[in-house]
Amino acid sequence: MQREPPAKVVTEPRERGHLFVISAPSGAGKTSLISALAKSDCSLTVSVSHTTRPRRDGEQDGVHYHFVDIETFAAMRARGEFLECADVFGHAYGTSRNAVLDAFEAGRDVILEIDWQGAAQVRARWPTAVAIFLLPPSRDALVARLRGRGQDGPDVIAARTAQAVADMSHHGEFDHVVVNDDFDTALADLRDIVEATRAGLRPTRSDHAALIAELLS
């Protein structure tokens, strides 16, 4: 995976909107929570990334991704149009800065669903972004969720678990940590962070020290 180097800081006024970055290891239930959060709040929208990978069956351009060719993506990258971007398994992915600003102009706050490395790029470019990391309630629950997909064998599950542990070690780089044990509770926790941010508050970061120690052991 190749990541972009840090770029200059964005200086758009805060009142134009709030940017929320939500990251999680595989198996933490990130996508379902983000979808529910956005559906429950008409002032929130989830950013749609650009990618050079081919469209899969059932995917819609502009809904799942903005599908572009390599030349278009390279030109956007050269012009500095991405808040974050990466090359993953031979395909490029990126979050458009203009798409975020367009959402702000429409009166909406924006969620970026990206990994911890992308989150680091965004924070370097947009320091006022609020970064949230989702955790599973236990190592056993994480493995059970990965197995529950029914798509991977034991070796792949082991590799995904190891990668999840590595990802979770970066929890300290985020403003907030939310545990997805009970879905409704985790969703309420995310809503609380969004509402507090809109009110100009900075809630205390939950500790979860014992859980984190167990997850990383």
Short mmCIF file of all heavy atoms in Angstrom, two decimals, residues 146 153-165:
data_model
loop_
_atom_site.label_atom_id
_atom_site.label_comp_id
_atom_site.label_asym_id
_atom_site.label_seq_id
_atom_site.Cartn_x
_atom_site.Cartn_y
_atom_site.Cartn_z
N LEU A 146 -15.45 -11.96 11.71
CA LEU A 146 -14.71 -12.27 10.49
C LEU A 146 -15.10 -13.65 9.94
O LEU A 146 -15.27 -13.83 8.74
CB LEU A 146 -13.20 -12.21 10.75
CG LEU A 146 -12.64 -10.82 11.06
CD1 LEU A 146 -11.17 -10.91 11.47
CD2 LEU A 146 -12.78 -9.91 9.85
N GLY A 153 -11.07 -18.78 4.51
CA GLY A 153 -10.58 -19.94 5.24
C GLY A 153 -9.80 -19.53 6.47
O GLY A 153 -9.58 -18.34 6.71
N PRO A 154 -9.34 -20.52 7.26
CA PRO A 154 -8.62 -20.22 8.51
C PRO A 154 -7.39 -19.36 8.33
O PRO A 154 -7.12 -18.48 9.16
CB PRO A 154 -8.25 -21.62 9.03
CG PRO A 154 -9.28 -22.53 8.42
CD PRO A 154 -9.57 -21.96 7.06
N ASP A 155 -6.61 -19.59 7.28
CA ASP A 155 -5.39 -18.81 7.08
C ASP A 155 -5.71 -17.34 6.81
O ASP A 155 -5.04 -16.44 7.34
CB ASP A 155 -4.58 -19.39 5.91
CG ASP A 155 -3.96 -20.74 6.23
OD1 ASP A 155 -3.93 -21.09 7.43
OD2 ASP A 155 -3.53 -21.43 5.30
N VAL A 156 -6.75 -17.12 6.02
CA VAL A 156 -7.14 -15.74 5.71
C VAL A 156 -7.69 -15.06 6.96
O VAL A 156 -7.41 -13.89 7.23
CB VAL A 156 -8.17 -15.71 4.56
CG1 VAL A 156 -8.69 -14.28 4.35
CG2 VAL A 156 -7.55 -16.24 3.29
N ILE A 157 -8.49 -15.81 7.74
CA ILE A 157 -9.03 -15.26 8.99
C ILE A 157 -7.90 -14.86 9.92
O ILE A 157 -7.92 -13.79 10.54
CB ILE A 157 -9.96 -16.27 9.69
CG1 ILE A 157 -11.21 -16.53 8.85
CG2 ILE A 157 -10.35 -15.76 11.08
CD1 ILE A 157 -12.11 -15.35 8.67
N ALA A 158 -6.89 -15.72 10.03
CA ALA A 158 -5.74 -15.42 10.90
C ALA A 158 -5.01 -14.17 10.42
O ALA A 158 -4.62 -13.32 11.22
CB ALA A 158 -4.79 -16.61 10.94
N ALA A 159 -4.85 -14.04 9.11
CA ALA A 159 -4.17 -12.87 8.56
C ALA A 159 -4.98 -11.61 8.78
O ALA A 159 -4.43 -10.55 9.13
CB ALA A 159 -3.91 -13.07 7.07
N ARG A 160 -6.30 -11.71 8.60
CA ARG A 160 -7.15 -10.55 8.81
C ARG A 160 -7.17 -10.13 10.29
O ARG A 160 -7.22 -8.95 10.61
CB ARG A 160 -8.57 -10.83 8.32
CG ARG A 160 -8.70 -10.91 6.81
CD ARG A 160 -10.16 -11.01 6.39
NE ARG A 160 -10.32 -11.08 4.96
CZ ARG A 160 -10.31 -10.05 4.13
NH1 ARG A 160 -10.16 -8.82 4.62
NH2 ARG A 160 -10.47 -10.21 2.83
N THR A 161 -7.13 -11.13 11.17
CA THR A 161 -7.10 -10.83 12.60
C THR A 161 -5.81 -10.11 12.97
O THR A 161 -5.81 -9.12 13.72
CB THR A 161 -7.24 -12.11 13.43
OG1 THR A 161 -8.47 -12.77 13.09
CG2 THR A 161 -7.22 -11.81 14.92
N ALA A 162 -4.69 -10.61 12.44
CA ALA A 162 -3.40 -9.97 12.71
C ALA A 162 -3.38 -8.53 12.19
O ALA A 162 -2.87 -7.62 12.85
CB ALA A 162 -2.27 -10.77 12.09
N GLN A 163 -3.96 -8.32 11.00
CA GLN A 163 -4.01 -6.97 10.45
C GLN A 163 -4.91 -6.07 11.29
O GLN A 163 -4.61 -4.90 11.51
CB GLN A 163 -4.53 -7.01 9.01
CG GLN A 163 -4.55 -5.65 8.32
CD GLN A 163 -3.19 -5.01 8.24
OE1 GLN A 163 -2.25 -5.61 7.69
NE2 GLN A 163 -3.03 -3.82 8.80
N ALA A 164 -6.02 -6.64 11.78
CA ALA A 164 -6.93 -5.86 12.63
C ALA A 164 -6.22 -5.41 13.91
O ALA A 164 -6.39 -4.27 14.35
CB ALA A 164 -8.17 -6.68 12.97
N VAL A 165 -5.43 -6.30 14.49
CA VAL A 165 -4.69 -5.95 15.71
C VAL A 165 -3.70 -4.82 15.41
O VAL A 165 -3.56 -3.87 16.18
CB VAL A 165 -3.97 -7.18 16.28
CG1 VAL A 165 -3.03 -6.78 17.42
CG2 VAL A 165 -4.98 -8.22 16.77
#
